[in-house]
Amino acid sequence: MITKRRLLQSVAASLCGTAAWAQQTPAPAARTARAGAAPGTWPTQPVRVLVGFPAGASPDLAARAIAEPLAKLLGQPVVVENKPGASGNVAAGLVAKAQDEHTIGALINGNLTIAKLLNPATPFDPEKDFAPVGLIGTAPLVLATSGDAIGKTPTELLLWARNLGDKGKYGTPGVGTVGHLGMELLKTRTSIAPQHVPFNGNPQVIEAMLAGKIQLALLPPGLAKPHVASGKFKAIGVTSPLRSPLFSELPTLREASVRGADLEIWTALAAPASLPKAAVMKLNAAMSEVLNAPEVQAQLLKAGWQSQAGTPQALAYRMRTDTSQLGGVILMRGIRSET
């Protein structure tokens, strides 16, 4: 497990350095799947993909976009099962404990990075209990303001937000979510100081901003875009290091001279740590082929994800660096979650 001491050693570099996914050579996976059966013998039965959110949620849509083409390559059905609860941690816990070698998870970054830091009672350890398989997709968040914000350019809107001081409020879908941690990170980078108001989900965040109860939020592009287009919201920029095809006309926060606050949400396939390495590599190879198919990329984009094929080692590296970046915010702000 990533201890407080180890995390503190890396926080300074994370908060004062480059983005969490800066272009470095990925280190070997912290936890390597055990050696096992030859690649040709797995899978021998249907593969279950557990998703920690209800049907129709964006992680569910991502899993379903790859399930059918993945089944064709693996020669076995790939069945998506929804196990919602605790921001995806219910499904993650079931995956971590699975022993049948045919249960994997389509999990989000919160499950695979900071779950244990937010709540020590979390019944799994992201670093020890999973074999990373590969990313499915990534997405930035949009730093959005209420439509009555003063300013047209990102710089002017940031100045408006800064002038609100601690009288301003920002909404998130809950304590410890990426929207919450991302905004607290932005507060250290921009000198804005809005107070946190947690809700039960992003639809409630949007309702609150439309009603004038909050002034700022970090929202997924698909949810922010129609309100920005109608003029009910204004957008300062996206949190990714490069402009996103999900909201191509919107500048990045980097373009507004905000440094060190790059952030993305992501979903990935992860298996129990006990899954044989040969099975992990076969699954990753099939995933890479699926994610490079234009029709799958288009389906993921429609669901709000940018296709992001990669190796298990690259996912393991991203898990560690995101844990360092967001874990630093958790320690600095003393954030705890009960889920």
Side-chain angles (χ1 to χ4, degrees):
M1 188 177 105
I2 293 182
T3 63
K4 183 175 180 179
R5 180 179 178 184
R6 286 175 58 193
L7 184 57
L8 285 171
Q9 290 172 343
S10 62
V11 164
S14 175
L15 294 181
C16 300
T18 57
W21 57 91
Q23 293 181 354
Q24 303 176 26
T25 302
R31 176 83 173 183
T32 304
R34 67 177 176 84
T41 64
W42 184 93
T44 58
Q45 63 189 56
V47 177
R48 301 167 66 220
V49 180
L50 305 189
V51 177
F53 298 88
S58 58
D60 171 76
L61 295 176
R64 293 181 189 279
I66 66 171
E68 185 176 345
L70 204 56
K72 292 178 180 178
L73 292 174
L74 294 177
Q76 288 284 351
V78 174
V79 182
V80 176
E81 297 183 13
N82 300 95
K83 302 290 183 180
S87 299
N89 285 341
V90 169
L94 293 172
V95 172
K97 295 176 175 61
Q99 296 294 320
D100 61 7
E101 295 191 354
H102 289 78
T103 297
I104 58 178
L107 307 176
I108 63 170
N109 42 335
N111 310 138
L112 293 174
T113 57
I114 55 174
K116 198 78 171 177
L117 295 173
L118 282 169
N119 184 358
T122 299
F124 60 88
D125 186 326
E127 187 182 26
K128 294 181 178 180
D129 293 339
F130 297 105
V133 177
L135 280 171
I136 300 172
T138 63
L141 292 171
V142 176
L143 180 55
T145 74
S146 53
D148 60 359
I150 299 172
K152 295 182 178 180
T153 69
T155 302
E156 291 171 348
L157 289 168
L158 276 174
L159 178 61
W160 170 84
R162 193 175 298 122
N163 288 338
L164 289 176
D166 60 6
K167 294 180 180 179
K169 295 181 175 64
Y170 75 90
T172 74
V175 173
T177 59
V178 176
H180 178 201
L181 301 179
M183 189 66 81
E184 290 300 317
L185 177 62
L186 278 168
K187 286 166 70 171
T188 70
R189 296 304 190 191
T190 62
S191 298
I192 62 174
Q195 299 302 303
H196 180 215
V197 181
F199 294 90
N200 290 327
N202 276 318
Q204 290 76 23
V205 173
I206 290 171
E207 288 176 8
M209 193 136 80
L210 290 171
K213 296 178 181 179
I214 59 173
Q215 292 77 42
L216 294 157
L218 282 171
L219 297 170
L223 294 180
K225 194 169 185 176
H227 298 290
V228 173
S230 70
K232 294 178 181 178
F233 292 172
K234 292 182 180 180
I236 296 176
V238 292
T239 58
S240 50
L242 301 173
R243 291 199 182 200
S244 169
L246 295 165
F247 207 154
S248 57
E249 64 270 35
L250 195 62
T252 67
L253 291 180
R254 285 188 180 192
E255 292 177 66
S257 299
V258 178
R259 304 295 180 185
D262 294 337
L263 187 68
E264 287 181 327
I265 54 175
W266 45 263
T267 185
L269 281 191
S274 59
L275 187 67
K277 184 177 180 180
V280 171
M281 298 311 297
K282 182 175 182 179
L283 182 55
N284 175 266
M287 267 190 68
S288 296
E289 185 172 340
V290 168
L291 291 173
N292 284 322
E295 61 273 18
V296 174
Q297 292 177 352
Q299 192 172 349
L300 285 170
L301 203 62
K302 185 177 179 180
W305 298 103
Q306 298 166 219
S307 174
Q308 191 74 45
T311 65
Q313 291 80 9
L315 175 56
Y317 175 73
R318 184 148 188 175
M319 288 166 61
R320 287 193 300 274
T321 53
D322 277 20
T323 300
S324 178
Q325 183 196 41
L326 296 179
V329 177
I330 290 168
L331 288 179
M332 182 169 56
R333 301 297 196 192
I335 297 169
R336 289 291 179 269
S337 172
E338 295 181 359
T339 59

